[in-house]
Amino acid sequence: MARMSAFQRLVTKYQRDVDFLIIYIEEAHPSDGWVTTDSPYSIPKHQSLEDRVSAARLLQQGAPSCALVLDTMANSSSSAYGAYFERLYVIQSGIVMYQGGRGPDGYQVSELRTWLERYDEQLRSGHPRPV
């Protein structure tokens, strides 16, 4: 939850200049699989897209105020971006400008904050360019 709070602060601060999107992928710690004791939710492994939609709706209640979309049941986005369990990206004009480490250990909101601060400085200086 602390990570989500840090991410929410970034969304709030930069949403004027940056579009944020969360892609909900397969559940990392399903209640009928690899269970973790620190999860505030009890979500079973998704057997259908409807299961994934239901889980996403539950998670959206505590998620940042940004768009939330779902990965396919074939986990196309997770595979394409190596996102399992969680990962932060900045994509600018179709180019990956920032790729964070794989979560949970590589998920560093502070690194994304640093990238956004540099980007924001460039926007304010009137000389935006890829960071």
Side-chain angles (χ1 to χ4, degrees):
M1 288 307 230
R3 285 190 238 195
M4 195 58 80
S5 298
F7 185 70
Q8 176 61 54
R9 286 191 294 276
L10 288 182
V11 170
T12 301
K13 183 173 181 177
Y14 294 104
Q15 64 188 350
R16 189 184 77 226
D17 298 316
V18 177
D19 296 323
F20 288 89
L21 172 72
I22 295 174
I23 302 174
Y24 181 55
I25 61 174
E26 65 183 299
E27 184 59 34
H29 300 287
S31 58
D32 56 350
W34 183 27
V35 180
T36 180
T37 57
D38 63 351
S39 177
Y41 306 103
S42 178
I43 299 171
K45 181 176 170 75
H46 309 139
Q47 301 299 320
S48 66
L49 188 56
E50 291 77 20
D51 290 347
R52 192 163 284 181
V53 169
S54 295
R57 285 188 179 135
L58 175 66
L59 293 173
Q60 194 168 31
Q61 295 171 9
S65 56
C66 61
L68 176 83
V69 297
L70 309 178
D71 200 355
T72 65
M73 289 305 293
N75 301 308
S76 303
S77 295
S78 181
S79 296
Y81 288 95
Y84 194 74
F85 300 110
E86 55 194 346
R87 201 164 200 179
L88 297 167
Y89 278 90
V90 172
I91 301 172
Q92 189 175 40
S93 302
I95 299 169
V96 174
M97 304 303 292
Y98 168 82
Q99 175 182 310
R102 286 188 178 168
D105 298 330
Y107 182 96
Q108 301 294 325
V109 175
S110 60
E111 286 181 4
L112 177 59
R113 181 184 324 104
T114 299
W115 191 95
L116 288 167
E117 287 168 350
R118 289 194 327 249
Y119 179 72
D120 189 54
E121 287 172 14
Q122 289 183 3
L123 284 178
R124 305 282 170 249
S125 72
H127 304 293
R129 65 183 192 276
V131 177

PDB file of all heavy atoms in Angstrom, residues 1-35:
ATOM      1  N   MET A   1       0.808  -1.194   0.000  1.00  0.00           N
ATOM      2  CA  MET A   1       0.000   0.000   0.000  1.00  0.00           C
ATOM      3  C   MET A   1       0.856   1.264   0.000  1.00  0.00           C
ATOM      4  O   MET A   1       0.457   2.251  -0.549  1.00  0.00           O
ATOM      5  CB  MET A   1      -0.940  -0.002   1.199  1.00  0.00           C
ATOM      6  CG  MET A   1      -2.065  -1.001   1.056  1.00  0.00           C
ATOM      7  SD  MET A   1      -2.942  -0.801  -0.473  1.00  0.00           S
ATOM      8  CE  MET A   1      -4.578  -0.758   0.101  1.00  0.00           C
ATOM      9  N   ALA A   2       2.028   1.213   0.635  1.00  0.00           N
ATOM     10  CA  ALA A   2       2.896   2.389   0.660  1.00  0.00           C
ATOM     11  C   ALA A   2       3.350   2.751  -0.745  1.00  0.00           C
ATOM     12  O   ALA A   2       3.442   3.922  -1.095  1.00  0.00           O
ATOM     13  CB  ALA A   2       4.097   2.132   1.559  1.00  0.00           C
ATOM     14  N   ARG A   3       3.631   1.726  -1.561  1.00  0.00           N
ATOM     15  CA  ARG A   3       4.031   1.988  -2.939  1.00  0.00           C
ATOM     16  C   ARG A   3       2.913   2.674  -3.704  1.00  0.00           C
ATOM     17  O   ARG A   3       3.146   3.574  -4.484  1.00  0.00           O
ATOM     18  CB  ARG A   3       4.391   0.696  -3.658  1.00  0.00           C
ATOM     19  CG  ARG A   3       5.706   0.143  -3.267  1.00  0.00           C
ATOM     20  CD  ARG A   3       6.034  -0.960  -4.185  1.00  0.00           C
ATOM     21  NE  ARG A   3       6.228  -2.153  -3.413  1.00  0.00           N
ATOM     22  CZ  ARG A   3       6.790  -3.227  -3.869  1.00  0.00           C
ATOM     23  NH1 ARG A   3       7.172  -3.290  -5.101  1.00  0.00           N
ATOM     24  NH2 ARG A   3       6.964  -4.258  -3.109  1.00  0.00           N
ATOM     25  N   MET A   4       1.678   2.212  -3.473  1.00  0.00           N
ATOM     26  CA  MET A   4       0.541   2.811  -4.164  1.00  0.00           C
ATOM     27  C   MET A   4       0.374   4.261  -3.734  1.00  0.00           C
ATOM     28  O   MET A   4       0.066   5.116  -4.544  1.00  0.00           O
ATOM     29  CB  MET A   4      -0.729   2.001  -3.890  1.00  0.00           C
ATOM     30  CG  MET A   4      -1.857   2.332  -4.832  1.00  0.00           C
ATOM     31  SD  MET A   4      -1.491   2.110  -6.601  1.00  0.00           S
ATOM     32  CE  MET A   4      -1.683   0.365  -6.774  1.00  0.00           C
ATOM     33  N   SER A   5       0.631   4.561  -2.456  1.00  0.00           N
ATOM     34  CA  SER A   5       0.538   5.944  -1.980  1.00  0.00           C
ATOM     35  C   SER A   5       1.585   6.813  -2.656  1.00  0.00           C
ATOM     36  O   SER A   5       1.300   7.940  -3.053  1.00  0.00           O
ATOM     37  CB  SER A   5       0.727   5.998  -0.466  1.00  0.00           C
ATOM     38  OG  SER A   5      -0.286   5.279   0.178  1.00  0.00           O
ATOM     39  N   ALA A   6       2.808   6.314  -2.777  1.00  0.00           N
ATOM     40  CA  ALA A   6       3.872   7.066  -3.441  1.00  0.00           C
ATOM     41  C   ALA A   6       3.529   7.283  -4.910  1.00  0.00           C
ATOM     42  O   ALA A   6       3.734   8.372  -5.462  1.00  0.00           O
ATOM     43  CB  ALA A   6       5.210   6.329  -3.304  1.00  0.00           C
ATOM     44  N   PHE A   7       2.989   6.257  -5.552  1.00  0.00           N
ATOM     45  CA  PHE A   7       2.588   6.386  -6.949  1.00  0.00           C
ATOM     46  C   PHE A   7       1.438   7.385  -7.080  1.00  0.00           C
ATOM     47  O   PHE A   7       1.423   8.208  -7.992  1.00  0.00           O
ATOM     48  CB  PHE A   7       2.197   5.015  -7.518  1.00  0.00           C
ATOM     49  CG  PHE A   7       1.886   5.044  -8.982  1.00  0.00           C
ATOM     50  CD1 PHE A   7       2.882   5.245  -9.918  1.00  0.00           C
ATOM     51  CD2 PHE A   7       0.589   4.867  -9.421  1.00  0.00           C
ATOM     52  CE1 PHE A   7       2.602   5.276 -11.273  1.00  0.00           C
ATOM     53  CE2 PHE A   7       0.291   4.895 -10.776  1.00  0.00           C
ATOM     54  CZ  PHE A   7       1.302   5.096 -11.697  1.00  0.00           C
ATOM     55  N   GLN A   8       0.487   7.345  -6.151  1.00  0.00           N
ATOM     56  CA  GLN A   8      -0.637   8.287  -6.177  1.00  0.00           C
ATOM     57  C   GLN A   8      -0.132   9.728  -6.081  1.00  0.00           C
ATOM     58  O   GLN A   8      -0.647  10.612  -6.756  1.00  0.00           O
ATOM     59  CB  GLN A   8      -1.619   7.993  -5.043  1.00  0.00           C
ATOM     60  CG  GLN A   8      -2.761   9.007  -4.948  1.00  0.00           C
ATOM     61  CD  GLN A   8      -3.627   9.052  -6.187  1.00  0.00           C
ATOM     62  OE1 GLN A   8      -4.134   8.027  -6.606  1.00  0.00           O
ATOM     63  NE2 GLN A   8      -3.792  10.215  -6.785  1.00  0.00           N
ATOM     64  N   ARG A   9       0.880   9.961  -5.269  1.00  0.00           N
ATOM     65  CA  ARG A   9       1.436  11.318  -5.157  1.00  0.00           C
ATOM     66  C   ARG A   9       2.018  11.772  -6.497  1.00  0.00           C
ATOM     67  O   ARG A   9       1.869  12.928  -6.882  1.00  0.00           O
ATOM     68  CB  ARG A   9       2.475  11.375  -4.043  1.00  0.00           C
ATOM     69  CG  ARG A   9       1.852  11.353  -2.652  1.00  0.00           C
ATOM     70  CD  ARG A   9       2.865  11.678  -1.556  1.00  0.00           C
ATOM     71  NE  ARG A   9       3.911  10.679  -1.407  1.00  0.00           N
ATOM     72  CZ  ARG A   9       3.792   9.566  -0.692  1.00  0.00           C
ATOM     73  NH1 ARG A   9       2.676   9.302  -0.052  1.00  0.00           N
ATOM     74  NH2 ARG A   9       4.793   8.714  -0.595  1.00  0.00           N
ATOM     75  N   LEU A  10       2.685  10.860  -7.214  1.00  0.00           N
ATOM     76  CA  LEU A  10       3.211  11.209  -8.540  1.00  0.00           C
ATOM     77  C   LEU A  10       2.081  11.523  -9.514  1.00  0.00           C
ATOM     78  O   LEU A  10       2.164  12.480 -10.280  1.00  0.00           O
ATOM     79  CB  LEU A  10       4.073  10.079  -9.110  1.00  0.00           C
ATOM     80  CG  LEU A  10       5.428   9.852  -8.483  1.00  0.00           C
ATOM     81  CD1 LEU A  10       6.159   8.734  -9.217  1.00  0.00           C
ATOM     82  CD2 LEU A  10       6.259  11.120  -8.501  1.00  0.00           C
ATOM     83  N   VAL A  11       1.047  10.709  -9.489  1.00  0.00           N
ATOM     84  CA  VAL A  11      -0.107  10.944 -10.368  1.00  0.00           C
ATOM     85  C   VAL A  11      -0.692  12.323 -10.084  1.00  0.00           C
ATOM     86  O   VAL A  11      -0.925  13.116 -11.005  1.00  0.00           O
ATOM     87  CB  VAL A  11      -1.176   9.849 -10.192  1.00  0.00           C
ATOM     88  CG1 VAL A  11      -2.463  10.216 -10.925  1.00  0.00           C
ATOM     89  CG2 VAL A  11      -0.654   8.499 -10.679  1.00  0.00           C
ATOM     90  N   THR A  12      -0.895  12.626  -8.832  1.00  0.00           N
ATOM     91  CA  THR A  12      -1.475  13.918  -8.451  1.00  0.00           C
ATOM     92  C   THR A  12      -0.590  15.079  -8.896  1.00  0.00           C
ATOM     93  O   THR A  12      -1.075  16.073  -9.443  1.00  0.00           O
ATOM     94  CB  THR A  12      -1.697  13.967  -6.924  1.00  0.00           C
ATOM     95  OG1 THR A  12      -2.571  12.895  -6.554  1.00  0.00           O
ATOM     96  CG2 THR A  12      -2.281  15.293  -6.493  1.00  0.00           C
ATOM     97  N   LYS A  13       0.700  14.954  -8.703  1.00  0.00           N
ATOM     98  CA  LYS A  13       1.627  16.043  -9.018  1.00  0.00           C
ATOM     99  C   LYS A  13       1.800  16.265 -10.518  1.00  0.00           C
ATOM    100  O   LYS A  13       1.898  17.406 -10.971  1.00  0.00           O
ATOM    101  CB  LYS A  13       2.985  15.762  -8.380  1.00  0.00           C
ATOM    102  CG  LYS A  13       3.985  16.882  -8.597  1.00  0.00           C
ATOM    103  CD  LYS A  13       5.259  16.657  -7.831  1.00  0.00           C
ATOM    104  CE  LYS A  13       6.219  17.819  -8.045  1.00  0.00           C
ATOM    105  NZ  LYS A  13       7.449  17.667  -7.259  1.00  0.00           N
ATOM    106  N   TYR A  14       1.847  15.182 -11.311  1.00  0.00           N
ATOM    107  CA  TYR A  14       2.210  15.309 -12.716  1.00  0.00           C
ATOM    108  C   TYR A  14       1.077  15.051 -13.707  1.00  0.00           C
ATOM    109  O   TYR A  14       1.303  15.092 -14.909  1.00  0.00           O
ATOM    110  CB  TYR A  14       3.380  14.364 -13.038  1.00  0.00           C
ATOM    111  CG  TYR A  14       4.646  14.763 -12.331  1.00  0.00           C
ATOM    112  CD1 TYR A  14       5.091  14.070 -11.217  1.00  0.00           C
ATOM    113  CD2 TYR A  14       5.398  15.850 -12.770  1.00  0.00           C
ATOM    114  CE1 TYR A  14       6.258  14.439 -10.560  1.00  0.00           C
ATOM    115  CE2 TYR A  14       6.559  16.224 -12.123  1.00  0.00           C
ATOM    116  CZ  TYR A  14       6.979  15.518 -11.011  1.00  0.00           C
ATOM    117  OH  TYR A  14       8.134  15.898 -10.371  1.00  0.00           O
ATOM    118  N   GLN A  15      -0.131  14.837 -13.229  1.00  0.00           N
ATOM    119  CA  GLN A  15      -1.211  14.466 -14.143  1.00  0.00           C
ATOM    120  C   GLN A  15      -1.545  15.549 -15.168  1.00  0.00           C
ATOM    121  O   GLN A  15      -2.128  15.253 -16.205  1.00  0.00           O
ATOM    122  CB  GLN A  15      -2.455  14.041 -13.368  1.00  0.00           C
ATOM    123  CG  GLN A  15      -3.090  15.111 -12.535  1.00  0.00           C
ATOM    124  CD  GLN A  15      -4.188  14.539 -11.649  1.00  0.00           C
ATOM    125  OE1 GLN A  15      -4.586  13.386 -11.795  1.00  0.00           O
ATOM    126  NE2 GLN A  15      -4.680  15.331 -10.727  1.00  0.00           N
ATOM    127  N   ARG A  16      -1.159  16.769 -14.931  1.00  0.00           N
ATOM    128  CA  ARG A  16      -1.393  17.836 -15.906  1.00  0.00           C
ATOM    129  C   ARG A  16      -0.542  17.645 -17.160  1.00  0.00           C
ATOM    130  O   ARG A  16      -0.967  17.964 -18.269  1.00  0.00           O
ATOM    131  CB  ARG A  16      -1.102  19.193 -15.263  1.00  0.00           C
ATOM    132  CG  ARG A  16      -1.531  20.372 -16.138  1.00  0.00           C
ATOM    133  CD  ARG A  16      -1.160  21.701 -15.538  1.00  0.00           C
ATOM    134  NE  ARG A  16       0.272  21.910 -15.749  1.00  0.00           N
ATOM    135  CZ  ARG A  16       1.123  22.334 -14.836  1.00  0.00           C
ATOM    136  NH1 ARG A  16       0.718  22.610 -13.623  1.00  0.00           N
ATOM    137  NH2 ARG A  16       2.385  22.502 -15.102  1.00  0.00           N
ATOM    138  N   ASP A  17       0.649  17.088 -17.005  1.00  0.00           N
ATOM    139  CA  ASP A  17       1.581  16.949 -18.120  1.00  0.00           C
ATOM    140  C   ASP A  17       1.789  15.510 -18.586  1.00  0.00           C
ATOM    141  O   ASP A  17       2.386  15.288 -19.633  1.00  0.00           O
ATOM    142  CB  ASP A  17       2.958  17.515 -17.728  1.00  0.00           C
ATOM    143  CG  ASP A  17       2.885  18.996 -17.404  1.00  0.00           C
ATOM    144  OD1 ASP A  17       2.224  19.735 -18.152  1.00  0.00           O
ATOM    145  OD2 ASP A  17       3.484  19.407 -16.387  1.00  0.00           O
ATOM    146  N   VAL A  18       1.337  14.551 -17.796  1.00  0.00           N
ATOM    147  CA  VAL A  18       1.624  13.144 -18.072  1.00  0.00           C
ATOM    148  C   VAL A  18       0.334  12.339 -17.973  1.00  0.00           C
ATOM    149  O   VAL A  18      -0.465  12.551 -17.071  1.00  0.00           O
ATOM    150  CB  VAL A  18       2.658  12.595 -17.049  1.00  0.00           C
ATOM    151  CG1 VAL A  18       2.915  11.124 -17.265  1.00  0.00           C
ATOM    152  CG2 VAL A  18       3.951  13.390 -17.102  1.00  0.00           C
ATOM    153  N   ASP A  19       0.136  11.427 -18.916  1.00  0.00           N
ATOM    154  CA  ASP A  19      -0.986  10.491 -18.841  1.00  0.00           C
ATOM    155  C   ASP A  19      -0.510   9.235 -18.126  1.00  0.00           C
ATOM    156  O   ASP A  19       0.460   8.612 -18.550  1.00  0.00           O
ATOM    157  CB  ASP A  19      -1.482  10.119 -20.240  1.00  0.00           C
ATOM    158  CG  ASP A  19      -2.054  11.305 -20.994  1.00  0.00           C
ATOM    159  OD1 ASP A  19      -2.709  12.148 -20.351  1.00  0.00           O
ATOM    160  OD2 ASP A  19      -1.840  11.389 -22.213  1.00  0.00           O
ATOM    161  N   PHE A  20      -1.174   8.894 -17.049  1.00  0.00           N
ATOM    162  CA  PHE A  20      -0.829   7.705 -16.287  1.00  0.00           C
ATOM    163  C   PHE A  20      -1.820   6.592 -16.606  1.00  0.00           C
ATOM    164  O   PHE A  20      -3.004   6.848 -16.813  1.00  0.00           O
ATOM    165  CB  PHE A  20      -0.870   7.993 -14.779  1.00  0.00           C
ATOM    166  CG  PHE A  20       0.254   8.858 -14.304  1.00  0.00           C
ATOM    167  CD1 PHE A  20       0.141  10.238 -14.307  1.00  0.00           C
ATOM    168  CD2 PHE A  20       1.431   8.288 -13.844  1.00  0.00           C
ATOM    169  CE1 PHE A  20       1.179  11.040 -13.863  1.00  0.00           C
ATOM    170  CE2 PHE A  20       2.480   9.091 -13.398  1.00  0.00           C
ATOM    171  CZ  PHE A  20       2.349  10.465 -13.406  1.00  0.00           C
ATOM    172  N   LEU A  21      -1.328   5.377 -16.637  1.00  0.00           N
ATOM    173  CA  LEU A  21      -2.146   4.218 -16.956  1.00  0.00           C
ATOM    174  C   LEU A  21      -1.657   3.037 -16.127  1.00  0.00           C
ATOM    175  O   LEU A  21      -0.449   2.804 -16.028  1.00  0.00           O
ATOM    176  CB  LEU A  21      -2.008   3.887 -18.450  1.00  0.00           C
ATOM    177  CG  LEU A  21      -2.638   2.594 -18.943  1.00  0.00           C
ATOM    178  CD1 LEU A  21      -4.163   2.727 -18.948  1.00  0.00           C
ATOM    179  CD2 LEU A  21      -2.133   2.281 -20.344  1.00  0.00           C
ATOM    180  N   ILE A  22      -2.579   2.317 -15.545  1.00  0.00           N
ATOM    181  CA  ILE A  22      -2.259   1.077 -14.853  1.00  0.00           C
ATOM    182  C   ILE A  22      -2.816  -0.058 -15.687  1.00  0.00           C
ATOM    183  O   ILE A  22      -3.990  -0.032 -16.078  1.00  0.00           O
ATOM    184  CB  ILE A  22      -2.879   1.031 -13.439  1.00  0.00           C
ATOM    185  CG1 ILE A  22      -2.270   2.114 -12.554  1.00  0.00           C
ATOM    186  CG2 ILE A  22      -2.689  -0.352 -12.807  1.00  0.00           C
ATOM    187  CD1 ILE A  22      -2.925   2.234 -11.191  1.00  0.00           C
ATOM    188  N   ILE A  23      -1.970  -1.036 -15.982  1.00  0.00           N
ATOM    189  CA  ILE A  23      -2.424  -2.242 -16.665  1.00  0.00           C
ATOM    190  C   ILE A  23      -2.469  -3.350 -15.625  1.00  0.00           C
ATOM    191  O   ILE A  23      -1.443  -3.730 -15.066  1.00  0.00           O
ATOM    192  CB  ILE A  23      -1.486  -2.640 -17.824  1.00  0.00           C
ATOM    193  CG1 ILE A  23      -1.382  -1.500 -18.837  1.00  0.00           C
ATOM    194  CG2 ILE A  23      -1.997  -3.930 -18.486  1.00  0.00           C
ATOM    195  CD1 ILE A  23      -0.359  -1.749 -19.943  1.00  0.00           C
ATOM    196  N   TYR A  24      -3.672  -3.814 -15.343  1.00  0.00           N
ATOM    197  CA  TYR A  24      -3.833  -4.883 -14.358  1.00  0.00           C
ATOM    198  C   TYR A  24      -3.549  -6.206 -15.051  1.00  0.00           C
ATOM    199  O   TYR A  24      -4.226  -6.605 -15.978  1.00  0.00           O
ATOM    200  CB  TYR A  24      -5.231  -4.855 -13.746  1.00  0.00           C
ATOM    201  CG  TYR A  24      -5.449  -5.914 -12.699  1.00  0.00           C
ATOM    202  CD1 TYR A  24      -4.598  -6.011 -11.598  1.00  0.00           C
ATOM    203  CD2 TYR A  24      -6.488  -6.819 -12.806  1.00  0.00           C
ATOM    204  CE1 TYR A  24      -4.785  -6.993 -10.641  1.00  0.00           C
ATOM    205  CE2 TYR A  24      -6.681  -7.794 -11.843  1.00  0.00           C
ATOM    206  CZ  TYR A  24      -5.826  -7.875 -10.763  1.00  0.00           C
ATOM    207  OH  TYR A  24      -6.008  -8.846  -9.817  1.00  0.00           O
ATOM    208  N   ILE A  25      -2.504  -6.883 -14.591  1.00  0.00           N
ATOM    209  CA  ILE A  25      -2.084  -8.158 -15.181  1.00  0.00           C
ATOM    210  C   ILE A  25      -2.571  -9.296 -14.290  1.00  0.00           C
ATOM    211  O   ILE A  25      -3.337  -9.081 -13.362  1.00  0.00           O
ATOM    212  CB  ILE A  25      -0.547  -8.191 -15.374  1.00  0.00           C
ATOM    213  CG1 ILE A  25       0.181  -8.045 -14.030  1.00  0.00           C
ATOM    214  CG2 ILE A  25      -0.114  -7.099 -16.337  1.00  0.00           C
ATOM    215  CD1 ILE A  25       1.690  -8.209 -14.109  1.00  0.00           C
ATOM    216  N   GLU A  26      -2.092 -10.499 -14.555  1.00  0.00           N
ATOM    217  CA  GLU A  26      -2.517 -11.628 -13.734  1.00  0.00           C
ATOM    218  C   GLU A  26      -2.160 -11.377 -12.272  1.00  0.00           C
ATOM    219  O   GLU A  26      -1.179 -10.698 -11.958  1.00  0.00           O
ATOM    220  CB  GLU A  26      -1.903 -12.925 -14.231  1.00  0.00           C
ATOM    221  CG  GLU A  26      -0.392 -12.997 -14.104  1.00  0.00           C
ATOM    222  CD  GLU A  26       0.167 -14.272 -14.685  1.00  0.00           C
ATOM    223  OE1 GLU A  26      -0.187 -15.348 -14.187  1.00  0.00           O
ATOM    224  OE2 GLU A  26       0.963 -14.170 -15.629  1.00  0.00           O
ATOM    225  N   GLU A  27      -2.967 -11.917 -11.393  1.00  0.00           N
ATOM    226  CA  GLU A  27      -2.783 -11.706  -9.964  1.00  0.00           C
ATOM    227  C   GLU A  27      -1.507 -12.398  -9.496  1.00  0.00           C
ATOM    228  O   GLU A  27      -1.317 -13.595  -9.708  1.00  0.00           O
ATOM    229  CB  GLU A  27      -3.999 -12.233  -9.202  1.00  0.00           C
ATOM    230  CG  GLU A  27      -3.970 -11.988  -7.726  1.00  0.00           C
ATOM    231  CD  GLU A  27      -3.886 -10.514  -7.355  1.00  0.00           C
ATOM    232  OE1 GLU A  27      -4.461  -9.661  -8.069  1.00  0.00           O
ATOM    233  OE2 GLU A  27      -3.231 -10.223  -6.346  1.00  0.00           O
ATOM    234  N   ALA A  28      -0.624 -11.632  -8.865  1.00  0.00           N
ATOM    235  CA  ALA A  28       0.665 -12.168  -8.425  1.00  0.00           C
ATOM    236  C   ALA A  28       0.528 -13.120  -7.239  1.00  0.00           C
ATOM    237  O   ALA A  28       1.278 -14.080  -7.115  1.00  0.00           O
ATOM    238  CB  ALA A  28       1.608 -11.024  -8.063  1.00  0.00           C
ATOM    239  N   HIS A  29      -0.420 -12.837  -6.370  1.00  0.00           N
ATOM    240  CA  HIS A  29      -0.591 -13.637  -5.151  1.00  0.00           C
ATOM    241  C   HIS A  29      -2.052 -14.057  -5.001  1.00  0.00           C
ATOM    242  O   HIS A  29      -2.739 -13.598  -4.089  1.00  0.00           O
ATOM    243  CB  HIS A  29      -0.136 -12.844  -3.923  1.00  0.00           C
ATOM    244  CG  HIS A  29       1.295 -12.442  -3.974  1.00  0.00           C
ATOM    245  ND1 HIS A  29       2.314 -13.355  -3.790  1.00  0.00           N
ATOM    246  CD2 HIS A  29       1.885 -11.254  -4.207  1.00  0.00           C
ATOM    247  CE1 HIS A  29       3.469 -12.733  -3.905  1.00  0.00           C
ATOM    248  NE2 HIS A  29       3.237 -11.459  -4.165  1.00  0.00           N
ATOM    249  N   PRO A  30      -2.519 -14.938  -5.887  1.00  0.00           N
ATOM    250  CA  PRO A  30      -3.923 -15.348  -5.795  1.00  0.00           C
ATOM    251  C   PRO A  30      -4.196 -16.107  -4.498  1.00  0.00           C
ATOM    252  O   PRO A  30      -3.336 -16.817  -3.981  1.00  0.00           O
ATOM    253  CB  PRO A  30      -4.121 -16.242  -7.020  1.00  0.00           C
ATOM    254  CG  PRO A  30      -2.764 -16.755  -7.344  1.00  0.00           C
ATOM    255  CD  PRO A  30      -1.808 -15.655  -6.949  1.00  0.00           C
ATOM    256  N   SER A  31      -5.408 -15.928  -4.001  1.00  0.00           N
ATOM    257  CA  SER A  31      -5.782 -16.579  -2.738  1.00  0.00           C
ATOM    258  C   SER A  31      -5.805 -18.104  -2.867  1.00  0.00           C
ATOM    259  O   SER A  31      -5.736 -18.804  -1.859  1.00  0.00           O
ATOM    260  CB  SER A  31      -7.143 -16.068  -2.269  1.00  0.00           C
ATOM    261  OG  SER A  31      -8.131 -16.301  -3.266  1.00  0.00           O
ATOM    262  N   ASP A  32      -5.878 -18.604  -4.101  1.00  0.00           N
ATOM    263  CA  ASP A  32      -5.845 -20.052  -4.312  1.00  0.00           C
ATOM    264  C   ASP A  32      -4.525 -20.489  -4.944  1.00  0.00           C
ATOM    265  O   ASP A  32      -4.441 -21.492  -5.632  1.00  0.00           O
ATOM    266  CB  ASP A  32      -7.027 -20.497  -5.185  1.00  0.00           C
ATOM    267  CG  ASP A  32      -7.093 -19.769  -6.514  1.00  0.00           C
ATOM    268  OD1 ASP A  32      -6.337 -18.780  -6.715  1.00  0.00           O
ATOM    269  OD2 ASP A  32      -7.889 -20.168  -7.373  1.00  0.00           O
ATOM    270  N   GLY A  33      -3.474 -19.718  -4.674  1.00  0.00           N
ATOM    271  CA  GLY A  33      -2.161 -20.021  -5.228  1.00  0.00           C
ATOM    272  C   GLY A  33      -1.074 -19.615  -4.256  1.00  0.00           C
ATOM    273  O   GLY A  33      -1.119 -19.955  -3.077  1.00  0.00           O
ATOM    274  N   TRP A  34      -0.114 -18.820  -4.744  1.00  0.00           N
ATOM    275  CA  TRP A  34       0.996 -18.357  -3.931  1.00  0.00           C
ATOM    276  C   TRP A  34       0.510 -17.189  -3.074  1.00  0.00           C
ATOM    277  O   TRP A  34       0.511 -16.043  -3.489  1.00  0.00           O
ATOM    278  CB  TRP A  34       2.153 -17.953  -4.827  1.00  0.00           C
ATOM    279  CG  TRP A  34       3.374 -17.526  -4.076  1.00  0.00           C
ATOM    280  CD1 TRP A  34       3.757 -17.905  -2.828  1.00  0.00           C
ATOM    281  CD2 TRP A  34       4.383 -16.638  -4.540  1.00  0.00           C
ATOM    282  NE1 TRP A  34       4.938 -17.307  -2.473  1.00  0.00           N
ATOM    283  CE2 TRP A  34       5.349 -16.518  -3.525  1.00  0.00           C
ATOM    284  CE3 TRP A  34       4.571 -15.936  -5.711  1.00  0.00           C
ATOM    285  CZ2 TRP A  34       6.472 -15.728  -3.650  1.00  0.00           C
ATOM    286  CZ3 TRP A  34       5.695 -15.144  -5.830  1.00  0.00           C
ATOM    287  CH2 TRP A  34       6.635 -15.053  -4.813  1.00  0.00           C
ATOM    288  N   VAL A  35       0.065 -17.466  -1.883  1.00  0.00           N
ATOM    289  CA  VAL A  35      -0.559 -16.483  -0.998  1.00  0.00           C
ATOM    290  C   VAL A  35       0.505 -15.711  -0.241  1.00  0.00           C
ATOM    291  O   VAL A  35       1.517 -16.258   0.169  1.00  0.00           O
ATOM    292  CB  VAL A  35      -1.517 -17.184  -0.005  1.00  0.00           C
ATOM    293  CG1 VAL A  35      -2.161 -16.172   0.925  1.00  0.00           C
ATOM    294  CG2 VAL A  35      -2.578 -17.971  -0.757  1.00  0.00           C
TER     295      VAL A  35
END
